[in-house]
Amino acid sequence: MNDIKLALLGSEGAGKSAVLVRFLTKRFIGEYASNANSLYHKRFSIDGRQLNLEVFDPCSQSGESRCILEEPVDWADGFVVVYTISDRTSFLNAKNILAQIKESRRETCKGDIPICLLGNKQDLCHSRQVSEEEGRSLAQENKCLFQEVSAAEDYLEISNLFTKLIRHVMEQLKLRGDRRRYSGSKSMAKLINNVFGKRRKSV
């Protein structure tokens, strides 16, 4: 059984929790504000391989908060960075988050870091502030996957994107040879639960 750990990062209002729940349950939950960190768990299979997936969904990050990123960045194997196409500030924050991930992993990650940049709320094209070309360019600059989606409408596209990211994580783990896990992964999970309250969700 393979253990895959993902962190979901983005600004308040970007809809990252809605994207995650859409992927895990196929349901759309709408928008809600969360001031708590959550750890989701799901078992499923990709390409005939059974996986234990854990996704850490911390409370939303502002552009200035570097400290809040340290724990999920150190803990995760891969990342989903979410912004909304109708809010340029969330896009600029996503750019900052990508830079922090790359800076933090510069010494520990030998290959490409498994990251997906996701432009949410594609259904709000009438209020678009970020062009698809800008999102794609930022993704290319950071060598990560990219997709514009609507958590309200696009379960299949969201599912396919998470699947691609998980495959990338599996490839990177395989390239490590010894399948080394970050030494603090178990203690990190305990720390998340102890500090933020045990909010582990099975779906």
Side-chain angles (χ1 to χ4, degrees), residues 16-17 33-38 56-60 196-197 199 201:
K16 63 187 181 72
S17 297
S34 175
N35 57 2
N37 300 274
S38 299
F56 182 37
D57 181 12
C59 57
S60 299
F196 301 118
R199 294 174 57 83
K201 298 178 174 62

Side-chain angles (χ1 to χ4, degrees), residues 161-203:
L161 202 60
F162 269 87
T163 300
K164 287 180 183 178
L165 179 63
I166 291 168
R167 285 193 178 115
H168 189 187
V169 168
M170 293 170 68
E171 289 170 4
Q172 290 299 310
L173 292 175
K174 186 176 181 180
L175 286 175
R176 293 179 191 177
D178 60 355
R179 303 188 66 80
R180 175 179 59 85
R181 305 295 296 176
Y182 292 101
S183 59
S185 61
K186 290 186 178 180
S187 60
M188 183 62 223
K190 290 180 181 178
L191 180 62
I192 291 171
N193 287 334
N194 290 339
V195 173
F196 301 118
K198 192 167 183 181
R199 294 174 57 83
R200 187 182 185 91
K201 298 178 174 62
S202 295
V203 291

Side-chain angles (χ1 to χ4, degrees), residues 23 29 32 38 47 74 119 127 131 145 152-153 161 178 188:
F23 166 64
I29 58 172
Y32 67 94
S38 299
D47 304 327
D74 289 342
S127 56
S131 70
L145 297 168
E153 300 175 354
L161 202 60
D178 60 355
M188 183 62 223

Side-chain angles (χ1 to χ4, degrees), residues 74-119:
D74 289 342
W75 173 82
D77 298 313
F79 304 89
V80 180
V81 179
V82 183
Y83 69 93
T84 169
I85 68 166
S86 60
D87 181 3
R88 175 159 291 277
T89 299
S90 73
F91 177 71
L92 296 176
N93 188 31
K95 185 175 183 178
N96 290 335
I97 291 171
L98 289 173
Q100 291 181 48
I101 293 171
K102 299 294 279 289
E103 180 182 346
S104 176
R105 288 296 181 88
R106 184 178 298 146
E107 296 181 0
T108 60
C109 186
K110 302 302 182 183
D112 291 340
I113 304 169
I115 307 174
C116 171
L117 177 64
L118 194 154

